[in-house]
């Protein structure tokens, strides 16, 4: 059964190959086939790290949607804090240290 590599490890191998390390040296060090490195390199150049991670497009879209939801919630919280800060700036009982 072939050994599987996690996305970070694949990325490290691909970057080393792109930087000019000999494929044969990488094959010896990591004990995988030459074809694997060429496939990973092609996948990376075609689609970036997301392809190396093995996630489907649906999984990637779901993660992206969740991240967008988190960003919107954070923007909402920041907006509320800005309003609170403006109210505090205008409050009559504030001290000289609240600017």
């Amino acid at each position: 059964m072939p050994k599987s590599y996690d996305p970070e490890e694949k990325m490290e191998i691909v970057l080393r190959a792109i930087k000019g390390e000999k494929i044969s040296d990488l094959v010896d060090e990591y004990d995988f086939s030459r074809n694997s490195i060429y496939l990973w390199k092609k996948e990376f150049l075609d689609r970036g790290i997301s392809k190396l991670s093995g996630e489907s497009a649906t999984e990637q879209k779901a993660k992206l949607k969740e991240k967008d939801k988190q960003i919107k919630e954070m923007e909402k919280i920041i907006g509320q804090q800005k309003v609170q800060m403006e109210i505090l700036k205008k409050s009559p009982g504030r001290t000289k240290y609240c600017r």
Side-chain angles (χ1 to χ4, degrees), residues 47-95:
R47 296 191 185 144
I49 186 72
S50 63
K51 181 61 179 170
L52 293 178
S53 71
E55 293 178 342
S56 70
T58 305
E59 291 170 322
Q60 291 174 14
K61 286 180 185 177
K63 281 186 176 181
L64 186 58
K65 188 174 181 179
E66 181 61 30
K67 297 284 184 200
D68 285 343
K69 183 179 174 184
Q70 290 173 346
I71 290 169
K72 284 183 173 51
E73 183 62 29
M74 288 179 193
E75 287 173 339
K76 180 180 173 184
I77 291 169
I78 290 169
Q80 291 169 345
Q81 289 177 342
K82 281 183 175 181
V83 169
Q84 290 172 351
M85 287 172 58
E86 287 301 316
I87 291 170
L88 289 173
K89 283 181 184 178
K90 294 177 184 178
S91 68
R94 71 171 212 194
T95 65

Side-chain angles (χ1 to χ4, degrees), residues 1-65:
M1 186 166 138
K3 181 180 178 188
S4 65
Y5 295 89
D6 64 28
E8 290 80 21
E9 195 169 21
K10 288 180 182 180
M11 188 69 209
E12 178 186 337
I13 294 166
V14 167
L15 288 176
R16 288 175 62 184
I18 290 172
K19 289 178 182 178
E21 286 194 44
K22 293 181 181 180
I23 300 297
S24 58
D25 291 343
L26 294 170
V27 168
D28 291 341
E29 182 178 341
Y30 289 96
D31 191 33
F32 60 86
S33 71
R34 292 175 89 59
N35 289 341
S36 293
I37 187 68
Y38 290 115
L39 175 65
W40 295 343
K41 186 176 173 182
K42 181 182 179 338
E43 287 175 344
F44 172 72
L45 293 174
D46 289 346
R47 296 191 185 144
I49 186 72
S50 63
K51 181 61 179 170
L52 293 178
S53 71
E55 293 178 342
S56 70
T58 305
E59 291 170 322
Q60 291 174 14
K61 286 180 185 177
K63 281 186 176 181
L64 186 58
K65 188 174 181 179

